[in-house]
Amino acid sequence: QDTRGRVRAPPAPAYTAAAAENGSSGAGGGDGQPVAHSSVVGAAAEVLPWHTATLLPRSILDEPTPSAKDGVAAEVETLQRMWGCTVICEAGCLLKLPQVVMATAQNLFHRFFWRKSLNDKRFDVFTVAMATIFLATKIEEKSRRLRDIVFVFHHLYRKRKFCMGQDVPLKNGLPIKDSRRAPMELGGYRYDEWKRKLVEMERHVLKELGFGFYQVMEHPHKFLLYYIEYLKKSGMQVQDSATKNLAQHAWAYLNDSMRLDLCVRHDTNNVACAAILIASRHEDVKIALPSPEWLEVLGADEAKVHSICDEVLRLYKVTLPSWVDPLNEESYLRSARQKLFDEMEEESDPVARAKLTEKMKSSSRSSSSSLSRTNS
């Protein structure tokens, strides 16, 4: 069983090049002859598909990402991923979700974009973030209503796109736009469309990730406190307050590290050790770790840990915008229909709002008729 009491499948053997050359899948002998096993053990020893493994296989990681193959620059892809994970964190806080749900959503988010391109008009980071956090609440059994997810992301949409990331941005002492004064109307045009988009995107994530998630939700957070307790008992002469300070800083670095796709490229114990190493050298902590062998004792790779530290520290050199538009101009978030939604939410005059509503109805009728003609 895992830490949440769920029964986990037995681990599958690694798929090695030698096994491939011998014509075996890891369950046979070195000469290619099958080893005598029971049928149950033989079934458990089958090589799992890559989307059910904790880390992506080297054959996938050595290739460019789908976005890179689609012409998206590496800096743009990193920015989009970081922004999407930041939105997930902000939405999780508004939904009062525990950290494990946000970490699971970010893990799903990164895995999905190792399968699909950011330049695909169907898969903008905002909608994928909304779908992954909705799915993560189900996986971690911290369910939230679909309408709550939609309302929170609508608030973030207005706050980030029109309010420069603030609830009430001021200009000359007066509010420009207030993200709280234009709530989404339950059952309205935008609500119905976003609800449909959320359900569709959840299905896409489920399909692309193989409908199996309990073997990939390994987060570095669960190692952190155990590792710090071990270091304390292994010669780290500090007071309890300093140990707590170290744990808090390391936990914060782990939360920030989830904005990168470290979860699919590095073992979780290496990421946890990297967070401890960075936190121990923070100016507010400055704790000398027991010995240089502590990484080896904890089963971490020193070179990989330092590489992770460099990646995490580079995060703080990137300035994220309050809003990023989808890369594909045909995305629904960049459509004229969404701009009409924005105008309707901002309009306070009843007469002008009625005209916009009628315009929306005519737009809906024309789109429905064109869709019916296409289907016929």
Side-chain angles (χ1 to χ4, degrees):
Q1 293 183 342
D2 63 4
T3 55
R4 302 182 185 88
R6 297 180 295 229
V7 177
R8 302 180 66 112
Y15 184 82
T16 61
E21 292 175 357
N22 292 332
S24 67
S25 60
D31 56 355
Q33 298 298 321
V35 178
H37 289 296
S38 67
S39 59
V40 176
V41 175
E46 292 179 357
V47 177
L48 295 174
W50 71 267
H51 57 259
T52 64
T54 303
L55 300 180
L56 297 185
R58 183 53 53 187
S59 59
I60 299 295
L61 295 175
D62 287 341
E63 293 290 327
T65 64
S67 300
K69 293 178 181 178
D70 211 9
V72 179
E75 297 80 7
V76 175
E77 181 177 2
T78 301
L79 181 69
Q80 291 265 337
R81 284 176 179 261
M82 290 173 58
W83 187 86
C85 290
T86 302
V87 170
I88 289 174
C89 284
E90 194 170 351
C93 292
L94 293 174
L95 291 164
K96 298 181 180 180
L97 293 170
Q99 183 62 43
V100 66
V101 178
M102 290 179 265
T104 297
Q106 290 167 321
N107 194 314
L108 296 173
F109 180 87
H110 286 302
R111 289 178 183 275
F112 181 80
F113 281 115
W114 269 96
R115 293 283 294 171
K116 290 296 182 180
S117 170
L118 286 160
N119 207 24
D120 193 316
K121 67 179 182 180
R122 299 171 297 172
F123 307 129
D124 60 277
V125 291
F126 187 80
T127 310
V128 174
M130 181 164 52
T132 52
I133 200 168
F134 183 47
L135 187 56
T137 60
K138 300 178 182 180
I139 294 173
E140 301 295 344
E141 299 177 357
K142 300 292 182 181
S143 298
R144 296 293 186 270
R145 296 182 302 178
L146 186 146
R147 69 171 65 175
D148 294 335
I149 303 289
V150 175
F151 285 159
V152 163
F153 272 84
H154 174 257
H155 169 75
L156 294 178
Y157 171 81
R158 291 192 52 79
K159 175 182 176 180
R160 287 182 161 272
K161 187 170 184 179
F162 302 116
C163 305
M164 298 175 290
Q166 304 296 324
D167 281 327
V168 187
L170 301 179
K171 183 177 182 181
N172 299 326
L174 299 174
I176 305 171
K177 292 182 180 180
D178 191 339
S179 63
R180 299 167 297 182
R181 291 182 182 172
M184 177 177 282
E185 180 183 354
L186 181 64
Y189 292 105
R190 172 167 271 173
Y191 176 82
D192 289 341
E193 181 167 347
W194 281 29
K195 177 182 176 181
R196 179 175 56 83
K197 290 289 184 181
L198 173 56
V199 173
E200 289 177 356
M201 190 61 67
E202 183 189 24
R203 292 173 180 171
H204 280 298
V205 175
L206 285 168
K207 182 179 78 70
E208 292 301 328
L209 300 186
F211 293 87
F213 304 107
Y214 293 104
Q215 293 181 347
V216 302
M217 295 302 114
E218 292 287 344
H219 305 310
H221 301 70
K222 72 177 185 180
F223 295 101
L224 187 65
L225 299 181
Y226 293 107
Y227 285 179
I228 292 177
E229 185 65 22
Y230 161 77
L231 293 174
K232 184 178 178 181
K233 293 181 178 180
S234 300
M236 190 172 67
Q237 302 296 330
V238 293
Q239 297 179 352
D240 291 341
S241 59
T243 304
K244 182 179 179 180
N245 195 24
L246 173 66
Q248 288 177 338
H249 279 78
W251 191 276
Y253 281 120
L254 282 184
N255 292 342
D256 292 341
S257 73
M258 295 301 295
R259 289 167 170 79
L260 300 172
D261 61 347
L262 300 175
C263 53
V264 300
R265 295 188 288 111
H266 294 284
D267 292 319
T268 48
N269 63 323
N270 287 332
V271 180
C273 289
I276 294 174
L277 182 58
I278 299 173
S280 67
R281 299 179 180 181
H282 193 276
E283 59 181 5
D284 294 337
V285 181
K286 291 185 178 179
I287 291 178
L289 298 177
S291 65
E293 291 80 18
W294 69 278
L295 289 173
E296 183 178 354
V297 173
L298 294 177
D301 184 286
E302 184 176 359
K304 292 181 179 179
V305 167
H306 286 288
S307 175
I308 294 170
C309 290
D310 293 338
E311 289 191 61
V312 173
L313 291 175
R314 280 197 294 268
L315 277 173
Y316 304 104
K317 298 180 180 179
V318 179
T319 302
L320 292 178
S322 59
W323 175 259
V324 294
D325 282 318
L327 296 181
N328 195 304
E329 295 183 358
E330 297 181 10
S331 171
Y332 81 100
L333 286 177
R334 299 181 66 172
S335 65
R337 185 177 176 83
Q338 293 298 317
K339 295 178 182 178
L340 192 55
F341 287 149
D342 298 335
E343 293 178 15
M344 289 178 63
E345 291 175 347
E346 284 295 322
E347 186 57 62
S348 58
D349 181 35
V351 178
R353 189 177 179 85
K355 292 181 180 179
L356 289 172
T357 303
E358 185 60 34
K359 185 177 180 181
M360 177 61 65
K361 289 180 180 179
S362 61
S363 174
S364 300
R365 287 194 295 268
S366 61
S367 61
S368 300
S369 60
S370 62
L371 181 61
S372 61
R373 287 195 301 270
T374 303
N375 293 334
S376 60

